[in-house]
Amino acid sequence: MSVPILAGALLALPGGGAAQEPGSYSVVGDAIPEPLTNARGDAARGRALVVERSSTCILCHSGPFPEQKFQGDLAPSLAGSGSRWSEGQLRLRLVDASRLNAATIMPSYYRVGGLNRVGTLWRGKPILSAEQIEDIVAYLVSLRE
């Protein structure tokens, strides 16, 4: 199923504003099989993003990050994520986890349209860029154990 988003399409926001939607992507089953960018992600940059508190990953997830004393326990460990999910499945979980679980507390890190309860500073903007999503996917897919 192709998400009806055109690169550069404008979305109406509550209050009359408009937001630029990120590029288009296609959801096939439980995955986004094609990368969001033309370049492969960089696993080292992805790891740095995952352990950076501002990305919020380790606020909920734990994983193989021995240098991080405080890691979340609300969500599954990221250890072995590359063995549990495909690259496309990981990509969909980052882009829009609510497609897999409508009750998830995981934010949509890339999709901006049709969301509720979005903080004022984040309305109409993805939390992560397409490049950052691909970097994190490259890192998570490398975690095999």
Side-chain angles (χ1 to χ4, degrees), residues 13-30:
L13 290 176
Q20 190 137 14
E21 182 74 27
S24 65
Y25 53 88
S26 294
V27 176
V28 178
D30 66 347

PDB file of all heavy atoms in Angstrom, residues 13-30:
ATOM      1  N   LEU A  13      -2.961  22.071   8.921  1.00  0.00           N
ATOM      2  CA  LEU A  13      -2.811  21.839  10.353  1.00  0.00           C
ATOM      3  C   LEU A  13      -3.935  22.535  11.092  1.00  0.00           C
ATOM      4  O   LEU A  13      -4.457  23.544  10.628  1.00  0.00           O
ATOM      5  CB  LEU A  13      -1.482  22.409  10.852  1.00  0.00           C
ATOM      6  CG  LEU A  13      -0.229  21.697  10.404  1.00  0.00           C
ATOM      7  CD1 LEU A  13       0.994  22.440  10.914  1.00  0.00           C
ATOM      8  CD2 LEU A  13      -0.214  20.278  10.902  1.00  0.00           C
ATOM      9  N   PRO A  14      -4.288  22.027  12.281  1.00  0.00           N
ATOM     10  CA  PRO A  14      -5.269  22.732  13.083  1.00  0.00           C
ATOM     11  C   PRO A  14      -4.784  24.163  13.312  1.00  0.00           C
ATOM     12  O   PRO A  14      -3.605  24.398  13.493  1.00  0.00           O
ATOM     13  CB  PRO A  14      -5.299  21.944  14.395  1.00  0.00           C
ATOM     14  CG  PRO A  14      -4.753  20.601  14.048  1.00  0.00           C
ATOM     15  CD  PRO A  14      -3.802  20.816  12.910  1.00  0.00           C
ATOM     16  N   GLY A  15      -5.679  25.091  13.254  1.00  0.00           N
ATOM     17  CA  GLY A  15      -5.302  26.484  13.447  1.00  0.00           C
ATOM     18  C   GLY A  15      -4.955  27.181  12.146  1.00  0.00           C
ATOM     19  O   GLY A  15      -4.502  28.308  12.137  1.00  0.00           O
ATOM     20  N   GLY A  16      -5.117  26.478  11.004  1.00  0.00           N
ATOM     21  CA  GLY A  16      -4.937  27.116   9.715  1.00  0.00           C
ATOM     22  C   GLY A  16      -3.537  27.064   9.150  1.00  0.00           C
ATOM     23  O   GLY A  16      -3.307  27.522   8.045  1.00  0.00           O
ATOM     24  N   GLY A  17      -2.561  26.529   9.870  1.00  0.00           N
ATOM     25  CA  GLY A  17      -1.206  26.466   9.347  1.00  0.00           C
ATOM     26  C   GLY A  17      -1.052  25.351   8.328  1.00  0.00           C
ATOM     27  O   GLY A  17      -1.975  24.590   8.072  1.00  0.00           O
ATOM     28  N   ALA A  18       0.116  25.274   7.731  1.00  0.00           N
ATOM     29  CA  ALA A  18       0.409  24.199   6.788  1.00  0.00           C
ATOM     30  C   ALA A  18       1.763  23.614   7.135  1.00  0.00           C
ATOM     31  O   ALA A  18       2.628  24.289   7.664  1.00  0.00           O
ATOM     32  CB  ALA A  18       0.415  24.723   5.355  1.00  0.00           C
ATOM     33  N   ALA A  19       1.932  22.325   6.850  1.00  0.00           N
ATOM     34  CA  ALA A  19       3.184  21.650   7.136  1.00  0.00           C
ATOM     35  C   ALA A  19       3.650  20.915   5.899  1.00  0.00           C
ATOM     36  O   ALA A  19       2.833  20.440   5.127  1.00  0.00           O
ATOM     37  CB  ALA A  19       2.984  20.639   8.266  1.00  0.00           C
ATOM     38  N   GLN A  20       4.940  20.834   5.719  1.00  0.00           N
ATOM     39  CA  GLN A  20       5.486  20.087   4.603  1.00  0.00           C
ATOM     40  C   GLN A  20       5.670  18.639   5.030  1.00  0.00           C
ATOM     41  O   GLN A  20       6.328  18.350   6.020  1.00  0.00           O
ATOM     42  CB  GLN A  20       6.814  20.682   4.180  1.00  0.00           C
ATOM     43  CG  GLN A  20       7.297  20.090   2.890  1.00  0.00           C
ATOM     44  CD  GLN A  20       7.852  21.142   1.983  1.00  0.00           C
ATOM     45  OE1 GLN A  20       8.102  22.251   2.399  1.00  0.00           O
ATOM     46  NE2 GLN A  20       8.044  20.803   0.737  1.00  0.00           N
ATOM     47  N   GLU A  21       5.036  17.731   4.293  1.00  0.00           N
ATOM     48  CA  GLU A  21       5.124  16.300   4.581  1.00  0.00           C
ATOM     49  C   GLU A  21       6.428  15.770   4.003  1.00  0.00           C
ATOM     50  O   GLU A  21       6.831  16.141   2.905  1.00  0.00           O
ATOM     51  CB  GLU A  21       3.926  15.579   3.933  1.00  0.00           C
ATOM     52  CG  GLU A  21       3.889  14.104   4.195  1.00  0.00           C
ATOM     53  CD  GLU A  21       3.471  13.753   5.612  1.00  0.00           C
ATOM     54  OE1 GLU A  21       2.753  14.517   6.248  1.00  0.00           O
ATOM     55  OE2 GLU A  21       3.884  12.682   6.074  1.00  0.00           O
ATOM     56  N   PRO A  22       7.115  14.883   4.731  1.00  0.00           N
ATOM     57  CA  PRO A  22       8.321  14.263   4.185  1.00  0.00           C
ATOM     58  C   PRO A  22       7.999  13.482   2.909  1.00  0.00           C
ATOM     59  O   PRO A  22       6.843  13.280   2.568  1.00  0.00           O
ATOM     60  CB  PRO A  22       8.764  13.317   5.300  1.00  0.00           C
ATOM     61  CG  PRO A  22       8.123  13.831   6.532  1.00  0.00           C
ATOM     62  CD  PRO A  22       6.830  14.457   6.077  1.00  0.00           C
ATOM     63  N   GLY A  23       9.031  12.999   2.243  1.00  0.00           N
ATOM     64  CA  GLY A  23       8.885  12.258   0.992  1.00  0.00           C
ATOM     65  C   GLY A  23       7.984  11.046   1.097  1.00  0.00           C
ATOM     66  O   GLY A  23       7.669  10.566   2.178  1.00  0.00           O
ATOM     67  N   SER A  24       7.572  10.526  -0.033  1.00  0.00           N
ATOM     68  CA  SER A  24       6.650   9.397  -0.067  1.00  0.00           C
ATOM     69  C   SER A  24       7.377   8.085   0.223  1.00  0.00           C
ATOM     70  O   SER A  24       8.586   7.976   0.036  1.00  0.00           O
ATOM     71  CB  SER A  24       5.948   9.331  -1.421  1.00  0.00           C
ATOM     72  OG  SER A  24       6.870   9.067  -2.435  1.00  0.00           O
ATOM     73  N   TYR A  25       6.625   7.130   0.673  1.00  0.00           N
ATOM     74  CA  TYR A  25       7.138   5.788   0.934  1.00  0.00           C
ATOM     75  C   TYR A  25       5.978   4.828   0.779  1.00  0.00           C
ATOM     76  O   TYR A  25       4.818   5.212   0.869  1.00  0.00           O
ATOM     77  CB  TYR A  25       7.763   5.683   2.333  1.00  0.00           C
ATOM     78  CG  TYR A  25       6.859   6.156   3.444  1.00  0.00           C
ATOM     79  CD1 TYR A  25       5.954   5.299   4.053  1.00  0.00           C
ATOM     80  CD2 TYR A  25       6.911   7.477   3.891  1.00  0.00           C
ATOM     81  CE1 TYR A  25       5.115   5.738   5.073  1.00  0.00           C
ATOM     82  CE2 TYR A  25       6.082   7.917   4.899  1.00  0.00           C
ATOM     83  CZ  TYR A  25       5.193   7.045   5.484  1.00  0.00           C
ATOM     84  OH  TYR A  25       4.363   7.483   6.497  1.00  0.00           O
ATOM     85  N   SER A  26       6.303   3.558   0.539  1.00  0.00           N
ATOM     86  CA  SER A  26       5.274   2.536   0.375  1.00  0.00           C
ATOM     87  C   SER A  26       5.364   1.524   1.496  1.00  0.00           C
ATOM     88  O   SER A  26       6.446   1.011   1.793  1.00  0.00           O
ATOM     89  CB  SER A  26       5.441   1.808  -0.961  1.00  0.00           C
ATOM     90  OG  SER A  26       5.201   2.685  -2.027  1.00  0.00           O
ATOM     91  N   VAL A  27       4.222   1.260   2.116  1.00  0.00           N
ATOM     92  CA  VAL A  27       4.134   0.239   3.148  1.00  0.00           C
ATOM     93  C   VAL A  27       3.661  -1.044   2.473  1.00  0.00           C
ATOM     94  O   VAL A  27       2.641  -1.043   1.796  1.00  0.00           O
ATOM     95  CB  VAL A  27       3.152   0.653   4.270  1.00  0.00           C
ATOM     96  CG1 VAL A  27       2.995  -0.464   5.295  1.00  0.00           C
ATOM     97  CG2 VAL A  27       3.623   1.944   4.926  1.00  0.00           C
ATOM     98  N   VAL A  28       4.421  -2.110   2.642  1.00  0.00           N
ATOM     99  CA  VAL A  28       4.069  -3.413   2.090  1.00  0.00           C
ATOM    100  C   VAL A  28       3.985  -4.380   3.267  1.00  0.00           C
ATOM    101  O   VAL A  28       4.998  -4.692   3.889  1.00  0.00           O
ATOM    102  CB  VAL A  28       5.114  -3.887   1.057  1.00  0.00           C
ATOM    103  CG1 VAL A  28       4.743  -5.270   0.525  1.00  0.00           C
ATOM    104  CG2 VAL A  28       5.257  -2.886  -0.072  1.00  0.00           C
ATOM    105  N   GLY A  29       2.768  -4.812   3.587  1.00  0.00           N
ATOM    106  CA  GLY A  29       2.588  -5.683   4.750  1.00  0.00           C
ATOM    107  C   GLY A  29       2.970  -4.945   6.016  1.00  0.00           C
ATOM    108  O   GLY A  29       2.410  -3.912   6.345  1.00  0.00           O
ATOM    109  N   ASP A  30       3.980  -5.464   6.703  1.00  0.00           N
ATOM    110  CA  ASP A  30       4.433  -4.860   7.961  1.00  0.00           C
ATOM    111  C   ASP A  30       5.787  -4.179   7.811  1.00  0.00           C
ATOM    112  O   ASP A  30       6.571  -4.122   8.746  1.00  0.00           O
ATOM    113  CB  ASP A  30       4.480  -5.920   9.066  1.00  0.00           C
ATOM    114  CG  ASP A  30       5.530  -6.996   8.808  1.00  0.00           C
ATOM    115  OD1 ASP A  30       6.053  -7.084   7.670  1.00  0.00           O
ATOM    116  OD2 ASP A  30       5.836  -7.751   9.752  1.00  0.00           O
TER     117      ASP A  30
END
